[in-house]
């Protein structure tokens, strides 16, 4: 019987410029102008690869909100697949997880796009499957479908993409010079899919890569999202602002995976770690404060109303909020995941209005927030990992580029020193990094 290897963290880096949130971009030395060039992100990708991170990640938006304009440094959202195609040429090992919506795209185009990135990167592509929560009016006159319809469509969409990837297997490439046969046409087959949402004949226009299919990522944490994620995902991008929510989510996803005949260890639960690193705790706290200084009281109240339909604008900041004033949990909200996290927090703690308005669901998309020195954040990571609240995390540097530099120069080496992260890559493909 082989001895089980000790657990190690799976770590990705978000290339969405979280370190420029708030007023950080206004500093003359912030270098925000450099973000207009792909060279800036290629340099970050190389830093992440030098630290042997598992993957790079890029979120995507198919709409423009008021939060993306005006006083925000988030000036645009380029197509992440094209974005990673450029990065693929400048890197060798690190995984590239692109975000593509199943609500607004045709599955044939997506299967081809992802397989193309997989070939361009030599087996390093990954797909973050999203159902989108806004953007319908950029594609038709129809309103956003219900969450139930979006997830039903996502399930069929993912099934079609997987069938298309299998329709032209790598084994069909023969390259037999003597017989003159380049590929075995008998191994390339149509899929003839006909379902509720899609009708696709196939096969795909290019063969599968020899490394296997791109790993699948998913972020749904509502009940319907958990069912979908546990059935198809190799990794889950999880919203978990505290340890308790992390333990509950990870245990539940593993249970659901087992019920669907999957190995629970085949799913990695990866929360977003929004960290503010500095040489002292005081400096780190100032970074965190500055990052959210642009969020006025009015904007926070508007965010709360958007997240869970709760309007507290008429209440004093020191009033405690109890569950009897919470809106019906079945009403339509922007994100069920964030609404449920906040609802649980309010029921358990009966916080003040001010405490609610300072919550990460309101100011930081429900990410796990850690503020302090390298040792402080390191201890936070170890505590959650030891509690089995996660299998790794997505690094979201906050406050400044210095915070990101401390992550690469000091925090990651500390994780390596403690045996919690690799010192060298043991494989060259994304599937190998994830142990698939």
């Amino acid at each position: 019987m082989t001895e089980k290897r000790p657990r190690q963290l799976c770590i990705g880096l978000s290339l969405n410029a979280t370190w420029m949130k708030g007023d950080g971009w206004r500093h003359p030395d912030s270098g925000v102008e450099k973000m207009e060039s792909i060279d800036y992100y290629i340099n970050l990708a190389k830093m992440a690869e030098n630290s042997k991170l598992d993957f790079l990640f890029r979120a995507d938006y198919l709409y423009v909100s008021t939060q993306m304009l005006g006083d925000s440094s988030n000036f645009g959202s380029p197509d992440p697949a094209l974005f990673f195609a450029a990065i693929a040429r400048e890197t060798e090992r690190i995984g590239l997880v692109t975000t593509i919506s199943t609500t607004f795209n045709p599955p044939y185009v997506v299967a081809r796009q992802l397989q193309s990135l997989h070939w361009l990167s030599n087996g390093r592509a990954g797909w973050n499957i999203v159902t989108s929560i806004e953007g319908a009016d950029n594609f038709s006159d129809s309103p956003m479908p219900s969450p139930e319809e979006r997830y039903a469509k996502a399930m069929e969409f993912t099934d079609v993409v997987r069938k298309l990837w299998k329709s032209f297997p790598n084994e069909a490439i023969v390259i037999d010079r003597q017989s003159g046969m380049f590929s075995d046409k008998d191994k390339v087959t149509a899929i003839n899919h006909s379902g509720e949402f899609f009708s696709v004949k196939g096969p795909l226009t290019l063969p599968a890569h020899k490394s296997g299919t791109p790993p699948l990522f998913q972020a749904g944490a509502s009940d319907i999202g958990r069912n979908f994620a546990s059935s198809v995902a190799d990794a889950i991008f999880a919203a978990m602002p505290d340890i308790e929510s992390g333990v509950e989510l990870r245990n539940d996803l593993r249970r659901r995976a087992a019920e669907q005949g999957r190995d629970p260890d085949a799913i990695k639960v990866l929360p977003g770690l929004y960290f503010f690193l500095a040489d002292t705790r005081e400096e780190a706290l100032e970074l965190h404060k500055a990052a959210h200084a642009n969020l006025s009281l009015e904007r926070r109240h508007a965010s709360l109303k958007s997240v869970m339909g709760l309007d507290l604008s008429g209440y004093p900041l020191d009033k405690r909020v109890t569950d009897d004033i919470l809106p019906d949990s079945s009403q339509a909200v922007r994100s069920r995941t964030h609404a449920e996290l906040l609802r649980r927090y309010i029921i358990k703690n009966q916080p003040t209005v001010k405490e609610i308005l300072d919550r990460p669901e309101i100011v930081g998309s429900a990410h796990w927030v850690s503020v302090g020195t390298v040792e402080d954040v390191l201890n936070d990571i170890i505590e959650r990992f030891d509690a089995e609240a996660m299998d790794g995390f997505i690094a979201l540097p906050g406050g400044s580029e210095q915070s990101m530099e401390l992550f690469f120069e000091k925090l990651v080496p500390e994780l390596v020193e403690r045996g919690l992260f690799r010192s060298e890559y043991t494989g060259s493909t994304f599937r190998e990094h994830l142990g698939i």
Side-chain angles (χ1 to χ4, degrees):
M1 186 174 182
T2 57
E3 185 177 345
K4 191 172 182 180
R5 293 175 58 189
R7 292 171 69 221
Q8 283 196 326
L9 291 158
C10 174
I11 304 177
L13 172 70
S14 171
L15 290 184
N16 296 83
T18 50
W19 52 93
M20 289 292 181
K21 279 190 174 182
D23 288 341
W25 67 271
R26 296 176 66 184
H27 193 280
D29 298 327
S30 69
V32 67
E33 291 81 7
K34 296 181 295 183
M35 291 165 51
E36 298 177 7
S37 167
I38 188 63
D39 292 337
Y40 176 79
Y41 295 97
I42 287 173
N43 183 55
L44 293 182
K46 289 180 176 179
M47 290 170 63
E49 188 167 70
N50 286 339
S51 293
K52 319 306 177 190
L53 298 196
D54 290 274
F55 63 93
L56 300 166
F57 165 73
R58 177 93 181 178
D60 191 31
Y61 305 94
L62 296 173
Y63 63 95
V64 174
S65 70
T66 54
Q67 284 79 16
M68 293 181 180
L69 300 173
D71 60 0
S72 171
S73 64
N74 190 346
F75 57 82
S77 183
D79 186 316
L82 294 176
F83 184 86
F84 280 127
I87 290 175
R89 293 288 298 149
E90 301 292 334
T91 53
E92 296 179 355
R93 299 283 193 94
I94 197 163
L96 310 170
V97 182
T98 185
T99 298
I100 305 178
S101 173
T102 57
T103 300
F104 305 124
N105 292 293
Y108 193 93
V109 171
V110 172
R112 184 169 180 251
Q113 189 176 32
L114 285 164
Q115 195 68 278
S116 297
L117 180 60
H118 213 36
W119 274 97
L120 287 171
S121 63
N122 198 20
R124 294 186 287 127
W127 177 22
N128 177 35
I129 305 168
V130 296
T131 61
S132 301
I133 55 177
E134 291 186 61
D137 46 6
N138 288 325
F139 296 88
S140 72
D141 295 332
S142 303
M144 281 298 298
S146 68
E148 289 75 17
E149 182 180 340
R150 294 204 309 272
Y151 274 107
K153 188 175 184 180
M155 182 63 78
E156 185 180 338
F157 190 113
T158 305
D159 181 48
V160 173
V161 167
R162 286 171 141 180
K163 287 178 179 177
L164 287 168
W165 285 342
K166 291 179 180 178
S167 69
F168 196 156
N170 188 264
E171 294 75 22
I173 305 172
V174 178
I175 315 180
D176 188 331
R177 290 180 173 83
Q178 284 190 329
S179 66
M181 181 182 288
F182 186 87
S183 58
D184 186 347
K185 65 179 183 296
D186 293 332
K187 291 183 178 179
V188 183
T189 58
I191 67 170
N192 294 318
H193 175 89
S194 180
E196 181 183 358
F197 299 98
F198 304 106
S199 180
V200 182
K201 180 182 178 182
L204 202 58
T205 58
L206 75 166
H209 191 268
K210 62 183 179 182
S211 67
T213 56
L216 304 181
F217 286 61
Q218 219 279 318
S222 62
D223 185 65
I224 191 171
R226 292 183 186 199
N227 278 335
F228 177 53
S230 60
S231 68
V232 303
D234 299 298
I236 284 93
F237 290 162
M240 51 174 75
D242 51 56
I243 290 180
E244 292 76 18
S245 63
V247 171
E248 185 277 327
L249 176 61
R250 185 172 181 270
N251 287 341
D252 186 51
L253 287 167
R254 290 171 64 83
R255 176 187 60 79
R256 294 181 194 228
E259 288 176 352
Q260 299 185 64
R262 300 186 67 197
D263 180 357
D265 290 334
I267 299 179
K268 295 187 184 298
V269 178
L270 309 174
L273 169 53
Y274 188 28
F275 58 84
F276 294 78
L277 282 170
D279 293 329
T280 67
R281 290 178 186 172
E282 291 73 23
E283 289 176 282
L285 287 167
E286 281 302 313
L287 283 179
H288 183 264
K289 182 179 178 181
H292 303 102
N294 65 319
L295 296 177
S296 65
L297 198 59
E298 291 74 21
R299 187 180 291 191
R300 293 177 191 233
H301 276 297
S303 177
L304 173 61
K305 193 170 182 179
S306 172
V307 166
M308 67 179 305
L310 179 61
D311 186 358
L312 297 178
S313 57
Y315 292 87
L317 293 177
D318 60 354
K319 178 177 175 57
R320 294 209 166 267
V321 179
T322 53
D323 57 356
D324 59 300
I325 66 171
L326 295 180
D328 192 304
S329 60
S330 64
Q331 74 171 24
V333 292
R334 186 174 183 272
S335 169
R336 284 189 178 182
T337 296
H338 297 166
E340 186 57 30
L341 285 169
L342 197 54
R343 178 178 294 275
R344 290 179 188 174
Y345 169 74
I346 292 171
I347 292 172
K348 179 181 178 181
N349 299 286
Q350 298 190 352
T352 64
V353 172
K354 183 180 187 306
E355 286 170 337
I356 293 174
L357 297 180
D358 286 339
R359 285 286 295 176
E361 294 90 348
I362 304 303
V363 301
S365 302
H367 291 306
W368 158 29
V369 180
S370 187
V371 183
T373 63
V374 168
E375 185 178 0
D376 291 330
V377 177
L378 177 69
N379 289 336
D380 272 357
I381 293 170
I382 293 173
E383 182 182 20
R384 294 196 182 215
F385 193 53
D386 286 348
E388 297 190 348
M390 64 176 191
D391 298 290
F393 59 88
I394 302 166
L396 304 165
S400 69
E401 287 187 338
Q402 180 198 9
S403 186
M404 179 164 50
E405 290 165 3
L406 285 170
F407 170 73
F408 285 125
E409 294 171 6
K410 295 187 177 182
L411 182 54
V412 174
E414 280 288 340
L415 291 170
V416 173
E417 180 70 22
R418 295 174 186 235
L420 296 173
F421 193 62
R422 68 167 70 87
S423 57
E424 291 292 340
Y425 287 116
T426 56
S428 59
T429 69
F430 193 19
R431 290 176 68 90
E432 288 175 312
H433 300 342
L434 295 178
I436 300 174

